[in-house]
Amino acid sequence: MTVSFQLYSARNFQPWADVLKMISGVGYKNVEGFGGVYEDPKAFRALMDQNGLAMPSGHFAMDMLENNFSTAVSIAKDLGVETIICPFLMPDDRPGDSAGWVDFAHRLAAVGDKCKDAGFRFAWHNHDFEFKALPDGQVPQEIILENAPNIGWEMDVAWVVRGGADPFAWIERFGPRIWIAHVKDIAPEGDCKDEDGWADLGEGVMKWDELLAGLKSRGQTALFVMEHDKPSDAHRFASRSFQNFKKL
């Protein structure tokens, strides 16, 4: 298993030079990128190299992937990214019916073809909204996976739970499509309100021992990315999650 750290988790703890030094010091060898670190990819790659860090995966906005793909490719190559991931749709951009989601899945498939031609893998990253049933009862995440059969899935397992879905059922059904998993935890009800109810890995209610076993047994998950959407202490989150993951 390859462990990584989603840099979005440390966006509020600048400068990046200090963040990367901290992450490396904890024991991580890999990070996952997002738009906030792409302004000067060559300089950021130099900082990564100084700290013995690689970036096997990175998040890229759909707008860039569709309308400025050459820039995305240049950034990915500079940073050593192997898997390009589309991570989000703003609320106003989310389709309201099944036909709209089928169209969006086809757009993802087209981006996936471009990524393959350029030498990259391509995956979709979920939040909670993809698991909210549409007026006809269909579920956007299912539509995406069925209508873009050649792309992967970076499964954010805790967001699946917050979407009201059973992650075990999705792992059982789509395990071979889950190339990467976001490893995060949900605090007990009422706890960690200042952190939007998220918890460090192993300190919440998620059954990560069972989830990890399911991901390992069902398919292709090889990269496990630690993430916390709003930690009050980046070092605490990074170190505690790293140590607890090693115990699983």
Side-chain angles (χ1 to χ4, degrees):
M1 295 185 296
T2 301
V3 181
S4 186
F5 181 94
Q6 169 51 256
L7 292 170
Y8 182 80
S9 306
R11 67 196 181 280
N12 296 323
F13 300 91
Q14 303 295 303
W16 285 116
D18 291 348
V19 169
L20 294 181
K21 183 178 180 181
M22 178 273 289
I23 292 169
S24 177
V26 166
Y28 292 90
K29 300 298 183 184
N30 302 280
V31 294
E32 184 171 80
F34 76 108
V37 302
Y38 296 158
E39 182 177 352
D40 188 342
K42 286 184 171 62
F44 200 84
R45 176 63 180 269
L47 286 176
M48 289 167 48
D49 290 345
Q50 289 171 20
N51 289 281
L53 295 168
M55 187 183 288
S57 60
H59 287 189
F60 292 79
M62 188 66 170
D63 181 65
M64 176 182 284
L65 293 172
E66 287 192 308
N67 301 312
N68 201 358
F69 186 68
S70 61
T71 297
V73 166
S74 177
I75 292 169
K77 288 183 176 179
D78 284 343
L79 291 169
V81 170
E82 299 169 353
T83 302
I84 289 174
I85 301 159
C86 183
F88 193 63
L89 269 183
M90 296 298 290
D92 290 346
D93 295 328
R94 297 171 193 168
D97 57 23
S98 295
W101 280 104
V102 169
D103 178 68
F104 179 68
H106 291 162
R107 290 166 58 195
L108 288 175
V111 171
D113 289 342
K114 291 195 297 183
C115 286
K116 182 179 180 180
D117 290 344
F120 301 94
R121 299 201 305 171
F122 178 67
W124 169 256
H125 171 90
N126 69 277
H127 285 76
D128 56 346
F129 59 87
E130 298 95 325
F131 299 90
K132 306 297 184 181
L134 298 164
D136 64 359
Q138 294 194 67
V139 177
Q141 184 66 24
E142 183 175 29
I143 293 174
I144 288 172
L145 293 172
E146 291 185 345
N147 288 275
N150 294 324
I151 74 170
W153 179 13
E154 180 177 64
M155 185 185 197
D156 192 313
V157 186
W159 272 121
V160 175
V161 173
R162 283 204 169 178
D166 176 5
F168 292 99
W170 285 85
I171 292 169
E172 179 63 27
R173 185 175 178 189
F174 292 105
R177 301 286 296 279
I178 305 169
W179 298 344
I180 307 172
H182 265 205
V183 183
K184 63 204 302 182
D185 217 327
I186 299 173
E189 186 69 29
D191 290 354
C192 301
K193 291 183 178 180
D194 62 326
E195 298 186 324
D196 290 347
W198 301 111
D200 300 341
L201 175 66
E203 307 300 322
V205 300
M206 298 281 289
K207 298 178 180 178
W208 266 109
D209 52 348
E210 298 176 26
L211 288 163
L212 189 61
L215 288 165
K216 290 166 63 178
S217 68
R218 278 296 298 140
Q220 303 298 316
T221 313
L223 182 61
F224 297 85
V225 184
M226 305 298 130
E227 186 184 44
H228 189 311
D229 286 19
K230 193 182 177 183
S232 59
D233 183 328
H235 181 268
R236 182 214 71 212
F237 159 67
S239 58
R240 185 184 286 177
S241 297
F242 187 80
Q243 293 301 320
N244 285 345
F245 186 82
K246 291 199 299 183
K247 298 174 185 176
L248 292 174

